Amino acid sequence: MRGADAALGAAGLAGFLSLWEATPRLGLVEDDYLPPVSRVAGALAGELADGAFWTALGDTLTGWAVGLLIAVTAGILTGGVIAVVPHLREATSSTIEFLRPIPSVALIPLAVLLYGSQLQSVLLLVVYASFWQVLIQTLYGVQDVDPVAEETARSYGLGTWARVRHVLWPTALPYVMTGVRLAAAVALILAVTAELVIGAPGLGQRISVAQSSQAVPEMYALVVVTGLLGLLINVGARTVERRALAWHQSVRGEVAV
């Protein structure tokens, strides 16, 4: 089944690239706006040979990784504390529901005022967007702890940290890993967006420069790179999730299928 799925995926990708190549060559759109995929591939090869491209890629990955690490750490700790203290959960619920829907891009003016086009601006947007993914999933996970299991652990005399380790954390971990996987994708989106809009160093800035200088094939090549980067991040996050939840029923069932 996996071989068939891979073959179907490859066929779909080949069909998409063929359609992309044919669309400008048949005159359906001007190739000044959408160059054939062969020209984009040539531009991509040129980018890969340029040292500045790798520097920009490193800047983007730095903003993504640091921002994601801060968001995950803060989301797990904050969500865990809020979830186990009922009064704190009630006191913060309205604030969370008020802040969570605010789009991160709405904070771009604030980020520019505070940090200009520096890395801190990227981190502000990445952390804000990713934090809520982890926080909400952690809240759901902790609240899903079986009260009977919790009371049983208490009756056997397990201390606070032992209950966290053996009861709370195993229940919350699947939710947390889902939050981390979602946050990883959101962090990349916000990192590239911040670079594109604010002008912070990275792939987004190179896309903006290519667009303003009419280097259309190079612009599409960089967009393709961001897409591939997102794909790799998603595959990596799924791999980490499977390894962390190898003991969980959902992953064991997935492997069995």
Side-chain angles (χ1 to χ4, degrees), residues 26-242:
L26 293 175
L28 299 178
V29 295
E30 294 186 26
D31 59 2
D32 288 340
Y33 303 125
L34 180 64
V37 69
S38 54
R39 285 179 58 193
V40 174
L44 177 59
E47 287 290 333
L48 296 177
D50 187 353
F53 164 79
W54 295 103
T55 301
L57 179 61
D59 291 333
T60 297
L61 290 177
T62 299
W64 169 80
V66 175
L68 181 63
L69 178 62
I70 296 173
V72 169
T73 303
I76 293 175
L77 293 177
T78 306
V81 171
I82 291 176
V84 299
V85 181
H87 293 302
L88 184 59
R89 186 168 65 242
E90 294 174 3
T92 57
S93 61
S94 57
T95 303
I96 291 174
E97 292 305 319
F98 170 72
L99 293 175
R100 187 162 63 100
I102 296 176
S104 294
V105 292
L107 300 180
I108 287 178
L110 174 63
V112 173
L113 286 174
L114 291 176
Y115 304 113
S117 59
Q118 302 301 312
L119 174 63
Q120 291 88 336
S121 294
V122 177
L123 293 179
L124 174 63
L125 300 177
V126 170
V127 171
Y128 186 85
S130 305
F131 170 76
W132 301 111
Q133 311 293 330
V134 182
L135 174 71
I136 298 302
Q137 289 297 323
T138 303
L139 289 174
Y140 288 151
V142 175
Q143 291 172 8
D144 197 41
V145 173
D146 187 351
V148 176
E150 175 71 10
E151 289 302 320
T152 302
R154 287 180 185 274
S155 66
Y156 275 94
L158 270 66
T160 302
W161 288 114
R163 294 200 304 277
V164 169
R165 178 181 177 185
H166 297 292
V167 179
L168 187 150
W169 183 244
T171 303
L173 186 57
Y175 293 86
V176 172
M177 293 308 301
T178 299
V180 171
R181 177 162 49 83
L182 296 175
V186 170
L188 177 64
I189 294 171
L190 265 298
V192 175
T193 300
E195 294 162 358
L196 190 63
V197 177
I198 297 175
L203 291 175
Q205 184 194 50
R206 283 184 69 85
I207 292 174
S208 178
V209 171
Q211 187 269 334
S212 60
S213 60
Q214 301 299 314
V216 179
E218 286 75 11
M219 182 192 73
Y220 278 102
L222 291 166
V223 172
V224 169
V225 170
T226 60
L228 293 174
L229 199 57
L231 178 62
L232 291 176
I233 286 174
N234 186 57
V235 171
R238 290 284 297 174
T239 301
V240 172
E241 185 179 23
R242 287 195 187 96

